Amino acid sequence: MSERRSPGIQWRRLLVESLAVVLSILLAFAIDAWWDGYKERQRERDLLAGLLDDFDASRPGLEARVGLARRMADGTRLLIELVDRREGTEVTVPDSLVLAVLGGPTYEPDTNTLDAAVGSGEVDLISSKELRAELARWRRTLTDTGEDEREVRRITNEQLVPILARSLSLRTYMDRVLPWSGGDPYGAGRLIGGGGDAPHAERATLRTSTELVGALAIRRFYVEFAAADLEDLLASLDRSVSLLEGELGR
């Protein structure tokens, strides 16, 4: 009578089934990782597209502000040259130069997307180190620009305007500052109604003084800084746009 063999453990079958379970788990992990990566890449593209839209919208206003800053700097320099004479004399100057030293606008671009990304930490989604560095440079330059522009406004309002008011009635000049500037410096080409038709002379008479020259010199110092900052800001914006378009394949 022959012995019957015990079936025992079917190692081969157990090994195959174990491998199948492991592979299915690894496949599930791989699919999850791929999906997470896909969603992250999509969030990155959405962020880059939003940044590009903001920069494109901001550029016309920034370009106009660079031109205005240069006009103010040139006008301030020319006025200094005309009034830097013996103290107490009267000097007749083009009234456009008076307008050039009354303005003190600040540049405010559309930074909603970048501010939100920095605040939420989503800026880390940007894989390009070069782009992240340029965006950080843009933010630093924007901060520097704002500080210089606010100093121009402070010097103008607190020091220069009171001195000019001793020689001139500034009402009509203040009415004409925005039209002379090309519109609202806070918006992209939005014009302010009124003021453009105010009566005015083509020349103005100023009484020179070391106080006037000193206030103009300080204003020119900061206006030149602000103009240089704005030019740097425009260059940074253009570099950012180029990098963004490259990342988006445009």
Side-chain angles (χ1 to χ4, degrees):
M1 186 174 179
S2 61
E3 290 186 5
R4 299 179 62 186
R5 182 177 297 179
S6 169
I9 300 175
Q10 299 181 1
W11 293 106
R12 179 176 295 179
R13 179 179 177 183
L14 182 60
L15 179 61
V16 170
E17 290 178 350
S18 298
L19 286 174
V21 171
V22 171
L23 288 175
S24 64
I25 294 173
L26 292 176
L27 180 60
F29 281 146
I31 292 173
D32 285 344
W34 175 85
W35 180 245
D36 288 343
Y38 172 80
K39 290 191 295 184
E40 187 169 289
R41 289 192 299 273
Q42 189 59 47
R43 287 167 59 200
E44 180 188 8
R45 287 189 65 84
D46 290 343
L47 172 57
L48 297 179
L51 290 170
L52 183 57
D53 288 343
D54 285 355
F55 279 126
D56 284 341
S58 297
R59 195 185 192 286
L62 177 53
E63 192 172 22
R65 279 290 293 112
V66 170
L68 176 57
R70 276 296 159 206
R71 289 172 62 203
M72 290 193 302
D74 291 343
T76 304
R77 175 181 56 79
L78 289 172
L79 187 57
I80 290 174
E81 292 176 359
L82 292 174
V83 302
D84 190 12
R85 301 180 180 181
R86 184 169 56 86
E87 185 176 1
T89 62
E90 289 188 345
V91 177
T92 301
V93 302
D95 61 352
S96 60
L97 298 186
V98 177
L99 294 172
V101 301
L102 289 177
T106 57
Y107 174 65
E108 298 180 7
D110 186 351
T111 60
N112 292 338
T113 302
L114 183 56
D115 290 344
V118 172
S120 66
E122 286 209 334
V123 71
D124 293 335
L125 290 171
I126 300 175
S127 56
S128 169
K129 293 182 179 179
E130 186 178 5
L131 177 56
R132 288 205 306 270
E134 192 59 55
L135 292 175
R137 185 180 297 111
W138 156 269
R139 284 171 59 84
R140 289 194 303 272
T141 306
L142 182 60
T143 298
D144 292 342
T145 302
E147 291 175 353
D148 288 335
E149 288 181 324
R150 285 188 291 274
E151 187 63 13
V152 170
R153 177 179 293 177
R154 186 194 66 79
I155 292 166
T156 301
N157 292 341
E158 296 180 8
Q159 299 181 39
L160 185 55
V161 166
I163 298 172
L164 290 173
R166 297 171 194 165
S167 299
L168 300 170
S169 172
L170 293 179
R171 184 188 67 82
T172 57
Y173 290 97
M174 298 306 296
D175 286 342
R176 296 167 56 209
V177 168
L178 287 180
W180 179 87
S181 300
D184 180 5
Y186 299 95
R190 182 168 62 91
L191 293 178
I192 301 296
D197 297 327
H200 61 275
E202 293 184 356
R203 301 185 71 81
T205 300
L206 298 175
R207 178 164 290 276
T208 64
S209 67
T210 55
E211 186 182 20
L212 175 59
V213 174
L216 288 170
I218 296 173
R219 174 185 162 87
R220 179 190 175 188
F221 181 80
Y222 283 100
V223 165
E224 289 283 359
F225 268 123
D229 287 340
L230 286 162
E231 290 174 348
D232 290 343
L233 199 61
L234 181 59
S236 180
L237 182 149
D238 287 340
R239 289 193 298 268
S240 296
V241 166
S242 178
L243 291 169
L244 286 165
E245 290 177 340
E247 290 294 311
L248 291 168
R250 298 184 183 179

